[in-house]
């Protein structure tokens, strides 16, 4: 297991190129199953979640080759419709293969994704939507066994919550279904729009992606295409946080600024000066951040839950008290005790809100990464802290951030990856 050693209290300065969005790439990789033939996906991040998806593609009988951020998938010879337990466990989001496997093969057999560090990970919304579209589902012995009676058919689906994964699975199964599917209260994330852009290039008929109601008119077949994954808005915001927490000045290359509309005002509230020009963003940060009045996680276009931990790290060293409310996941404050080991002053109320009172300086300490985003929050705290921080279990971080240590080092951070035997 690898760990990071961060020697903090250094101002970051320089330019960083963004990686492609993990949460776009995963459903798009699954969507390559729908077009029998060779798909080419550019700007694929080189991270462990993408490697797990490639393993699933190969298990299903497809060929998949990732080289220099371009993934070439040939799904012509797909000959299986199941995903074994070890591959399901490798990555919780492997459930996004469900809709595509059913649409391609008329049946699917997957293991239930277990709970994870964020709390329970139910898939009831995915399954009830698929049932409405004519899928017969048996849930027993930890397995989800699905078969389509005649042909997958369109349906009107009103989601009680705009679940990202459920919206993706419905889209993936509806594009080849007979008739029209209307999803109301759909997730509106840019990653959903990217998935739909990809599918439309393949010949799918989808209208309303990025809005609350999505209309999908089923077509008979899709043809493979070439697509470029959008830049990762969560990685972009996390790097902005790295500038903010170190009083630094970073330039990010390759952003889509509209995807950052919900977070730029918060950085400005904290005293950062942000300039955006085309696909470049420059963030210039003050020596000490102002507190945030209130940060509440919400479905897009609200403030992303995937940035809550990183913003909490900023609050720990800001000049006053900030309130954080987590509305999406039941258990997403696992970073709190770790930040407190570094001297942060945080009071958690129930499981959904916390008051963070900024301290002048954190002090380095050994801490444990608990999930992907929480891991980066600890790196941020380490960058701001006096002395050495050891972040253990960085395999969480490798799921979503490509060459993070190298990128931070290039802009002045003192961070080192130490590999240890398991
Ligand atoms: C996606 O997960 C992201 N993952 C998550 O990012 C992100 O935190 C989340 O959306 C919310 O934005 C990927 O895109 C791969 P949801 P997903 O279905 O699709 C409840 C990261 O760090 N729910 O929108 O699994 C659920 O329990 C990851 O990159 C049900 O109740 O999220 C949760 O409370 C972590 N029943 C809420 O909805 C369901 O059937 C949001 O879940 C499905 C979800």
């Amino acid at each position: 297991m690898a760990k990071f050693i961060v020697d903090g209290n250094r101002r970051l300065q320089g330019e960083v190129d963004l990686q492609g969005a993990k949460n776009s790439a995963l459903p798009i990789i699954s969507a390559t199953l729908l077009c029998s033939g060779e798909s080419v996906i550019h700007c694929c991040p080189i991270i462990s979640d993408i490697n797990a998806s490639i393993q699933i593609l190969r298990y299903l009988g497809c060929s998949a080759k990732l080289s220099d951020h371009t993934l070439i998938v040939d799904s012509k010879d797909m000959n299986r419709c199941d995903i074994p337990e070890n591959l399901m466990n490798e990555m919780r989001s492997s459930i996004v293969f469900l809709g595509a496997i059913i649409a391609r093969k008329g049946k699917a057999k997957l293991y239930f994704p277990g709970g994870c560090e964020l709390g329970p990970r139910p898939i009831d919304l995915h399954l009830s939507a698929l049932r409405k579209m004519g899928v017969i589902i048996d849930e027993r012995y930890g397995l989800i066994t699905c078969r389509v009676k005649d042909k997958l058919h369109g349906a009107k689906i009103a989601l009680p919550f705009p679940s990202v994964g459920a919206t993706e699975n419905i889209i993936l199964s509806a594009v080849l279904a007979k008739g029209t599917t209307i999803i109301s209260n759909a997730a509106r994330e840019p990653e959903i729009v990217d998935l739909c852009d990809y599918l439309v290039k393949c010949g799918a008929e989808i209208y309303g992606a990025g809005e609350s109601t999505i209309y999908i008119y089923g077509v008979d077949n899709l043809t493979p295409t070439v697509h470029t994954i959008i830049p990762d808005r969560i990685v972009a915001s996390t790097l902005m946080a790295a500038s903010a927490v170190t009083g630094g000045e970073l330039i990010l290359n390759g952003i889509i600024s509209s995807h950052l509309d919900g977070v730029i005002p918060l950085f400005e509230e904290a005293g950062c000066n942000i300039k955006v020009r085309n696909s470049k963003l420059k963030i210039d940060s003050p020596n000490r951040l102002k507190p945030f009045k209130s940060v509440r996680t919400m479905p897009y276009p609200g403030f992303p839950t995937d940035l809550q931990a990183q913003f909490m790290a900023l609050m720990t060293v800001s000049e006053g008290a900030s309130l954080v409310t987590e509305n999406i996941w039941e258990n997403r404050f696992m970073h709190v005790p770790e930040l407190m080991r570094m001297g942060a002053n945080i009071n958690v109320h129930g499981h959904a809100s916390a008051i963070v009172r900024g301290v002048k300086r954190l002090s380095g300490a050994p801490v444990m990464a608990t999930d992907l985003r929480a891991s980066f929050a600890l790196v941020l705290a380490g960058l701001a802290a006096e002395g050495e921080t050891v972040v253990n279990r960085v395999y969480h971080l490798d799921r979503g951030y490509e060459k993070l240590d190298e990128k931070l080092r290039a802009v002045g951070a003192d961070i080192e990856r130490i590999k240890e035997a398991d």
Side-chain angles (χ1 to χ4, degrees), residues 192-204:
I192 300 276
V193 178
D194 202 22
L195 169 66
C196 293
D197 284 348
Y198 167 78
L199 288 166
V200 167
K201 277 195 223 164
C202 297

Side-chain angles (χ1 to χ4, degrees), residues 75-91:
S75 62
K76 179 172 77 281
D77 295 330
M78 175 180 177
N79 56 8
R80 301 192 71 112
C81 59
D82 64 305
I83 302 182
E85 194 176 8
N86 62 323
L87 291 181
M88 281 302 285
N89 286 340
E90 194 102 339
M91 178 183 66

Side-chain angles (χ1 to χ4, degrees), residues 17 41 146 148 152-153 170 179 209 216 239 265 283 287 289 371 408:
D17 294 336
I41 313 295
C146 305
V148 178
L152 214 52
H153 59 74
I170 298 166
I216 303 149
L239 290 166
I283 173 165
N287 285 338
L289 296 170
D371 79 69
L408 289 177

Side-chain angles (χ1 to χ4, degrees), residues 22-23 26 92-93 118 120-126 161-166 168 189 305-306 328-330 332 372-373 399:
K22 163 179 88 75
N23 291 348
L26 296 174
R92 197 281 164 187
S93 17
L118 307 180
R121 304 284 299 247
I123 52 163
D124 53 313
L125 304 179
H126 305 230
F161 178 87
S163 154
V164 174
E168 289 165 350
E189 272 71 0
T305 172
D306 293 345
I328 307 293
W329 295 110
E330 243 180 76
R332 211 169 196 182
L372 168 59
R373 311 300 173 186
R399 283 187 37 227

Side-chain angles (χ1 to χ4, degrees), residues 32 56 89 118 146 156 175 240 255 294 310 367 371 391:
T32 60
I56 291 175
N89 286 340
L118 307 180
C146 305
K156 278 191 178 168
V175 282
M240 289 167 78
I255 61 147
S294 170
Q310 299 92 312
V367 287
D371 79 69
V391 184

Side-chain angles (χ1 to χ4, degrees), residues 29 48 72 148 161 163 245-246 308 317 327 345 360 369:
I29 288 174
S48 59
I72 301 179
V148 178
F161 178 87
S163 154
V245 86
T246 61
Q308 180 257 107
V317 288
N327 292 310
N345 180 348
K360 222 165 175 188

Side-chain angles (χ1 to χ4, degrees), residues 363-399:
S363 50
V367 287
M368 188 78 83
T370 49
D371 79 69
L372 168 59
R373 311 300 173 186
S375 313
F376 209 127
L378 300 177
V379 171
L380 291 172
L383 291 172
E386 193 73 58
E388 188 177 279
T389 298
V390 180
V391 184
N392 289 292
R393 297 196 180 173
V394 295
Y395 62 85
H396 287 294
L397 218 141
D398 295 334
R399 283 187 37 227

